[in-house]
Amino acid sequence: MDRGEFEVIITDDGSTDDTASVLDDLQRRSPLTMTVLHADRNRGAAAGRNLAWRAARAPLIAFTDDDCRPQPKWLEAGVAAMEHARVVVGQTTPPPDQLKMAFGPFARALWMREAKYFETANVFYRRADVEASGGFEERFRAGEDTDLALRVVPDGRDAAFAEDALVHHDVRPSEFAGALRETLRWIDLPLVVRRHPQVRRTLLHRRVFWKKSHPPALLAAAGIVLAAGSRRPLPLLLVAPWVAFRVARQPLTPGRKRRWIVLPQGLVLDLLEVVVMVRGSVRYRTFVL
């Protein structure tokens, strides 16, 4: 696509380092039609994206994030797919040089191979649809991208996946503390479910659980509590289904020995996810575990 056929809009969401000056210098040097917007304070990703799309002039809006690298032909492929859809999700994978990192037990790697969660790492909209929906809901800490898409295409029938619209998403290193912090961001997931009850069937496990690991994790927690309370080991058998799940069905890491070593941390992480869902459920009066 010729560079005169599109514009680039970047939002600096109230950064306190040298990001603003780096972006201003990039804007001066870039041969692209580029606009840099500076927010006076950090108000979150949803607010930053709203600032950007409202400044855009084109009828189609393509979103990506600051930890992403769109690949050649990304824009062309996404725009072409928009001829037959209202929302298009492009393929997203880790960069080839970060694939080994992606399989760390607590790494955060993003693979998008279907139009399901509509992450803004790689998604295309018509401006008219975004405007009519009011844009991103700014009270979300996470999940605002899914919420917007479900307001535009509630049943998903007008959404499409574009394999050739490829973006590489950086991998967050495998750090247990980082995974715990990341989990805390998802407290607003029950709000997505409250606003769009139909996703219980498509996005939740058994219409209640955020992840498939949560039912056996809760059973394991019950076994540990009962064993501690009774001072008998028999209730610890309730931990077995979760161990089987994390060792055989959905291990945290491919390494056979390593997956056993990280089990204690894995159980803490699974249970923290449940706690975050409970907090969100109470806050939004919508039951999700």
Side-chain angles (χ1 to χ4, degrees), residues 137-168:
E137 173 58 67
E138 296 185 7
R139 61 174 156 165
F140 279 97
R141 292 179 60 190
E144 74 284 346
D145 39 14
T146 306
D147 171 71
L148 173 61
L150 291 172
R151 281 184 276 131
V152 175
V153 287
D155 58 8
R157 293 181 183 177
D158 291 327
F161 176 72
E163 182 177 1
D164 293 336
L166 178 63
V167 163
H168 288 159

Side-chain angles (χ1 to χ4, degrees), residues 60 130 154-155:
L60 298 182
V130 179
D155 58 8

Side-chain angles (χ1 to χ4, degrees), residues 10-12 15 18-30 34-38:
I10 302 174
T11 300
D12 169 21
S15 60
D18 61 348
T19 297
S21 60
V22 169
L23 290 177
D24 288 340
D25 181 62
L26 175 64
Q27 182 180 16
R28 287 190 296 270
R29 293 185 294 104
S30 177
M34 181 179 295
T35 300
V36 176
L37 306 173
H38 299 286

Side-chain angles (χ1 to χ4, degrees), residues 46 49 65 87 108 110 112 116-123 125 136-137 140 142-151 185-186 192:
R49 293 178 187 126
D65 294 331
V87 181
R108 180 180 179 272
L110 184 62
M112 291 164 51
K116 185 175 182 180
Y117 297 105
F118 305 94
E119 293 96 326
T120 48
N122 189 356
V123 67
Y125 287 91
F136 294 95
E137 173 58 67
F140 279 97
E144 74 284 346
D145 39 14
T146 306
D147 171 71
L148 173 61
L150 291 172
R151 281 184 276 131
R185 296 178 56 247
W186 290 98
V192 176

Side-chain angles (χ1 to χ4, degrees), residues 135-262:
F136 294 95
E137 173 58 67
E138 296 185 7
R139 61 174 156 165
F140 279 97
R141 292 179 60 190
E144 74 284 346
D145 39 14
T146 306
D147 171 71
L148 173 61
L150 291 172
R151 281 184 276 131
V152 175
V153 287
D155 58 8
R157 293 181 183 177
D158 291 327
F161 176 72
E163 182 177 1
D164 293 336
L166 178 63
V167 163
H168 288 159
H169 188 292
D170 279 352
V171 176
R172 185 198 65 202
S174 180
E175 297 175 351
F176 182 57
L180 295 178
R181 289 192 298 270
E182 175 76 17
T183 296
L184 298 177
R185 296 178 56 247
W186 290 98
I187 192 171
D188 293 332
L189 180 59
L191 179 57
V192 176
V193 178
R194 178 178 176 178
R195 292 165 65 106
H196 311 281
Q198 74 273 19
V199 303
R200 285 194 178 275
R201 178 175 53 84
T202 57
L203 299 186
L204 298 183
H205 176 57
R206 297 179 183 173
R207 297 178 180 261
V208 173
F209 299 97
W210 178 20
K211 297 182 179 179
K212 292 181 180 180
S213 61
H214 291 181
L218 285 170
L219 192 63
I224 293 171
V225 170
L226 289 173
S230 65
R231 297 184 180 181
R232 295 180 180 179
L234 187 61
L236 290 177
L237 291 175
L238 296 177
V239 180
W242 179 84
V243 172
F245 181 88
R246 278 306 188 192
V247 170
R249 290 182 57 195
Q250 197 176 100
L252 291 166
T253 180
R256 293 186 178 275
K257 293 183 179 179
R258 179 68 171 162
R259 68 183 62 176
W260 286 93
I261 295 172
V262 299

Side-chain angles (χ1 to χ4, degrees), residues 61-65 68-82 85-94 110-125 145 149 159-169:
I61 309 291
F63 289 99
T64 191
D65 294 331
C68 297
R69 284 177 277 174
Q71 300 303 294
K73 305 301 181 180
W74 164 69
L75 200 56
E76 291 95 329
V79 169
M82 285 294 289
R86 292 180 66 184
V87 181
V88 168
V89 174
Q91 181 180 193
T92 302
T93 67
L110 184 62
W111 279 269
M112 291 164 51
R113 293 170 176 154
E114 59 180 327
K116 185 175 182 180
Y117 297 105
F118 305 94
E119 293 96 326
T120 48
N122 189 356
V123 67
F124 294 73
Y125 287 91
D145 39 14
F161 176 72
E163 182 177 1
D164 293 336
L166 178 63
V167 163
H168 288 159
H169 188 292

